Amino acid sequence: MKLNEQARGVYVIAATPFDDNGAVDQDSINSMVDGYLAAGVSGITILGMMGEANKLSEAESKSVITGVLNRVDQRVPVVVGVSSAGLDPLVALSKFSMDAGAAGVMATPIPSIRTDEALYGYFERVCNAIGSQTPLVFQDYPFVTSVHASVPVLERLIDDFAQIVMIKHEDWPGLSKLTRLRAGSDSGAHRRVSILVGNGGMYLPPELGRGADGAMTGFAYPEMLVDVCDLYSAGKAEQGEDLFDLYLPLLRYEAQPGIGLALRKELLRRRGLMASSYVRAPGPRLSKEDHAELDSLVARLERSLHAAGIQPRNLV
Amino acid sequence: MKLNEQARGVYVIAATPFDDNGAVDQDSINSMVDGYLAAGVSGITILGMMGEANKLSEAESKSVITGVLNRVDQRVPVVVGVSSAGLDPLVALSKFSMDAGAAGVMATPIPSIRTDEALYGYFERVCNAIGSQTPLVFQDYPFVTSVHASVPVLERLIDDFAQIVMIKHEDWPGLSKLTRLRAGSDSGAHRRVSILVGNGGMYLPPELGRGADGAMTGFAYPEMLVDVCDLYSAGKAEQGEDLFDLYLPLLRYEAQPGIGLALRKELLRRRGLMASSYVRAPGPRLSKEDHAELDSLVARLERSLHAAGIQPRNLV
Amino acid sequence: MKLNEQARGVYVIAATPFDDNGAVDQDSINSMVDGYLAAGVSGITILGMMGEANKLSEAESKSVITGVLNRVDQRVPVVVGVSSAGLDPLVALSKFSMDAGAAGVMATPIPSIRTDEALYGYFERVCNAIGSQTPLVFQDYPFVTSVHASVPVLERLIDDFAQIVMIKHEDWPGLSKLTRLRAGSDSGAHRRVSILVGNGGMYLPPELGRGADGAMTGFAYPEMLVDVCDLYSAGKAEQGEDLFDLYLPLLRYEAQPGIGLALRKELLRRRGLMASSYVRAPGPRLSKEDHAELDSLVARLERSLHAAGIQPRNLV
Amino acid sequence: MKLNEQARGVYVIAATPFDDNGAVDQDSINSMVDGYLAAGVSGITILGMMGEANKLSEAESKSVITGVLNRVDQRVPVVVGVSSAGLDPLVALSKFSMDAGAAGVMATPIPSIRTDEALYGYFERVCNAIGSQTPLVFQDYPFVTSVHASVPVLERLIDDFAQIVMIKHEDWPGLSKLTRLRAGSDSGAHRRVSILVGNGGMYLPPELGRGADGAMTGFAYPEMLVDVCDLYSAGKAEQGEDLFDLYLPLLRYEAQPGIGLALRKELLRRRGLMASSYVRAPGPRLSKEDHAELDSLVARLERSLHAAGIQPRNLV
């Protein structure tokens, strides 16, 4: 099961569950995967930025890959984040992942890239090094990488490297970029790749309206993202946006940079997807005020869902 | 009427209205001021980042200051953004503003500052240069300035310079910072200054819950910000948050960086506060897709207000 | 006298002389211009980054432009830095400069530019706004602007806008970029523009070897830069590099960022080109250790020159 | 042999030698170590930024550590760079290094740090995590890390954590910082730690004059750095600076960011310290122009040494 340009729906960005001592927790990997699948996700992305990949040893990274792939057991495609400062580590992790059964890999540009030419050159090198049979997701996330990808350079890469099958779109602001990318494929000038949006899902409705195929993000209520994508697919955009707006207060709270990872893990813990909300150092810790705000936002969400006649779902 | 630590409510960040040829539009300054006052704002801040201050000539800046002050006519305090790469231009604009009747001035740190010590030293210099009788707002906006202010350095500045009466709080994430600043004044260890929040108002409810005195931001529906602040002041936090959440989908759309200024000006134009949504170059322009999304979000807001039994307000 | 692609030699980056109270000092403008001309410079660039342009009022900027142009009196071309956050101020200053007799203007990209496309778009806009009759120098200085210009985008701009007649080349490292730019014009694929190098002159010999036409920098001993360029032009590269190396210890000391401006002004003061080494705030101040190091480096330079049989020159 | 505050002289930043296929080359590790020792270095630092640490697998890193330690065989202290995005990998590598016989470890702040408080907190955490028995070098290199350390925060760390025994000083400009740090220890207000300077050695003479104890950098002619430090120690500063200036043209060429690593490895290869100048991807490659400039600069250096009556040294 290789990733391809037809990918759509929600590829949830998986957290990496630790126990309260900070060790990778395989039991929670299992419950998390089960919960994500119960939410109806179309795929799972592991070892991304929110997966604390750069705080893991190589052995831990491999145990996460193997653990997730085993539990998923081919039910949905799994994408593995392989970004690295060096090409050799990137290639090694990519090979391990594909050999273990991943559907594809995801990479960001290295932070030192500053021109279209350098960006093209870097991904040309990555594509050649991982091999044309390895599907690649281009993660376009300038807020974190500080690398900005223009539409022309993305189109050149798409045209020249068939293995680039998906863009994780989280430029910000990014709506006009999405429109331009879709205009380029709609006109037939460029191959159409899958575009899944990130940024915590903050702009999912307008992005779906502009041609995104879904979301690749880790909001702790992925079932909402799934339903919104389904409603848009079914031509029920207004209903989709209605549903989205119910979750928006909590979603925008979780989407804060930095502390967002701790908030997300705490929500996943509360929902039973993982046993601990431990975040590895250096990383954020929640205060009692943070917990109280989560309490309040979750209670408000439940009231909103109730008022809208929507039954909250349990994932485990 | 000088700004002081008791300032609270909404100090709206004013846009700078141009006509369709890009000239400063004094008629629209008048209608904008009237609209803001009709919204119930407690103060007006001009020539901030969203006021395109750095695209104006000195004469234009002065005409905006004079124009706004004349129209406001002492009804609410007016704060003038005076940030500059050089201390001399900052002092000159500060003096002009105070002489013209401004209530205080606002400054950001210059972008080259990288340590607490350098930050303290810069504001010490600014305070001394503008004179102790000029009330100063510290704009804490690392997303744009790239300068981060720790709580200890802010407290040192507050302790040492009585003229610093307000912090425009838009660190992101910034909730724990707000809690720490309030703990410092609640305990009596440090003077209590006014804290008004920015970031387009994205986190106004939790921020008010943590001790913010209001907002200093330019959302095109300032009456909502005013009402939310009033409800929190009246002990009706849940109601305040209910009201806020109705506007959140549009607010989060307007809060996009870059294009947000064009969206805001277009909304102000639609609401009759200014004749043109012109943004000076280099600056964003709206596409037909942007306009359509605004149409949709405004229509959805109106439906939400209607469903909640709230009468939409006209400001002009 | 308009700037064109044949420009070569040393265009000295002029400091802006203040008196000890920080006022623009017209007498020192005169002595500085006289000194630069005595050094044999081919042109003078004013209101660049080292000219503290962003700490001047508009009236002061104009007085510097007028003062320099009057004193130069058409003997060499004068280029005026017009970079600004806004297009309107840039155009206004450009028009004032050209009307006053400047040979051309110089602009950096605004710091928010992050892609080739955005860079092209910005300079397209600048070129159109200042008018095709105004010669433009593209200042390529990523260390300060954080904007990187790829060779392809520079070539596109050169091809499309005849008024871009010069690149101030101070990318770092930048030697291979220079080689590529020259290969592009040597092959006839692109128009050949003048390339003058910056970075304080740190790499002048290899840069001349790779096809630079000279230097645009403000080292306090511009006569050395002039002589080195002349020796290279005369086919005496080794001699040029010998001369350069004598000054390198002092030149690399002056080339430190930040404090470099204060060091340069102090050297110019010692040499009699200006009455005061005042730097406007916020800006560096020299310590007694800095002064002692300057003393030592200047004494060592004089010994080196003496040992090499070179007579030190006075410029005033 | 643990690193302590008395460390002085040259701790050479070792490159990581690869063969022409990019594999770690243990034979070249041996010849490189031999060469460095022949140059008279006081210590060796491995897996720093110039050691391409972040392009190595964990097994490769360990093989470099073991390989170097074995060859050095206790003759000089070896410091291991352990910087990492995560605390767990940092601790693991630190423990491995100390168990294997390293004299200490070196760490940079993580790039997200922006305030004195965050910087203190991070190093407090690092010190506690690696254990107080592990000597720590604070690498202060804002040009690459983008983290700036004020003198007060460095002094607080020095006062509170006895295991911080050395600062690798490469702030830029950094001379006044060095003077302030030394004033703090000279007055007895703060513990005196070793300060070795970096930045390729560009400012070694004034830095030694201001109280640096030596250099920690990787210039391909470390014997010069050793001799300069020795001359300064012997009170022969002028002679030291004379010697330094002979190498400055080549040193400033090698000190270019980015391509500098490739230039350095090529020089080390030419000098026989390693078999190949291979740099791992993504990394720079030398052009024929770069090679020709190296040829010329080395020939010029040899002529300068000859003229000064200095015998060039072979290290292998």
Side-chain angles (χ1 to χ4, degrees), chain C residues 143 172-173 175 202-203 206 210 238 241-242 244-245 248-249 252-253 256-257 289-290 293 300 303, chain D residues 143 172-173 175 202-203 206 210 238 241-242 244-245 248-249 252-253 256-257 289-290 293 297 300 303:
Chain C
F143 179 71
W172 185 48
L175 292 169
M202 279 285 288
Y203 306 97
R210 288 176 185 241
E238 285 287 341
E241 193 160 0
D242 289 345
F244 177 88
D245 285 355
L248 180 55
R252 75 85 162 71
Y253 186 80
Q256 296 175 83
E289 291 84 2
D290 299 324
E293 283 164 1
R300 291 179 57 83
R303 286 205 298 276
Chain D
F143 179 71
W172 185 48
L175 292 169
M202 279 284 289
Y203 305 97
R210 287 177 186 240
E238 285 287 342
E241 194 160 359
D242 289 345
F244 177 88
D245 284 356
L248 181 55
R252 76 87 162 68
Y253 186 80
Q256 295 175 83
E289 289 84 3
D290 299 324
E293 283 165 358
L297 285 162
R300 290 178 57 84
R303 285 204 298 275

Side-chain angles (χ1 to χ4, degrees), chain A residues 143 172-173 175 202-203 206 210 238 241-242 244-245 248-249 252-253 256-257 289-290 293 297 300 303, chain B residues 143 172-173 175 202-203 206 210 238 241-242 244-245 248-249 252-253 256-257 289-290 293 300 303:
Chain A
F143 179 71
W172 184 49
L175 292 169
M202 278 287 286
Y203 306 96
R210 287 176 186 242
E238 285 287 341
E241 195 160 359
D242 289 345
F244 178 88
D245 285 355
L248 179 56
R252 77 87 163 64
Y253 186 80
Q256 294 174 83
E289 289 84 4
D290 299 325
E293 283 165 358
L297 285 162
R300 290 179 56 84
R303 284 205 298 276
Chain B
F143 179 72
W172 186 47
L175 292 170
M202 278 286 286
Y203 305 97
R210 288 175 184 241
E238 284 288 341
E241 195 160 359
D242 289 345
F244 178 87
D245 285 355
L248 180 55
R252 77 86 163 67
Y253 186 80
Q256 296 174 83
E289 290 84 3
D290 299 324
E293 283 165 358
R300 289 179 58 83
R303 285 204 298 274

Side-chain angles (χ1 to χ4, degrees), chain C residues 2-11 13 42-45 77 79 103-107 123 134-140 154 157-158 161-169 181-182 191-197 213-216:
Chain C
K2 290 270 187 82
L3 195 71
N4 65 29
E5 298 90 338
Q6 274 70 50
R8 52 191 303 116
V10 175
Y11 279 61
I13 294 281
S42 301
I44 299 179
T45 302
V79 176
V105 298
M106 180 166 77
F123 272 90
T134 302
L136 179 64
V137 180
F138 183 117
Q139 184 175 10
D140 184 18
L154 287 172
L157 284 166
I158 290 167
F161 299 96
Q163 76 200 91
I164 300 179
V165 294
M166 182 187 287
I167 293 172
K168 179 175 191 330
H169 170 75
L181 283 168
R182 279 303 177 233
R191 180 168 55 99
R192 190 189 193 285
V193 296
S194 174
I195 299 181
L196 302 188
V197 303
D213 298 305
M216 186 186 279

Side-chain angles (χ1 to χ4, degrees), chain D residues 16 27 31 33 39 43 93 103 107-108 134 144 192 215 316:
Chain D
T16 297
D27 286 344
S31 56
V33 166
L93 193 60
T108 58
T134 301
V144 170
R192 187 189 196 283
V316 293

Side-chain angles (χ1 to χ4, degrees), chain C residues 97-149:
Chain C
S97 301
M98 297 307 293
D99 288 350
V105 298
M106 180 166 77
T108 59
I110 52 172
S112 58
I113 290 171
R114 283 291 170 274
T115 65
D116 288 16
E117 185 178 39
L119 182 57
Y120 182 92
Y122 179 71
F123 272 90
E124 177 182 39
R125 191 156 218 175
V126 167
C127 286
N128 291 336
I130 61 176
S132 62
Q133 298 311 305
T134 302
L136 179 64
V137 180
F138 183 117
Q139 184 175 10
D140 184 18
Y141 196 11
F143 179 71
V144 170
T145 62
S146 80
V147 180
H148 293 249

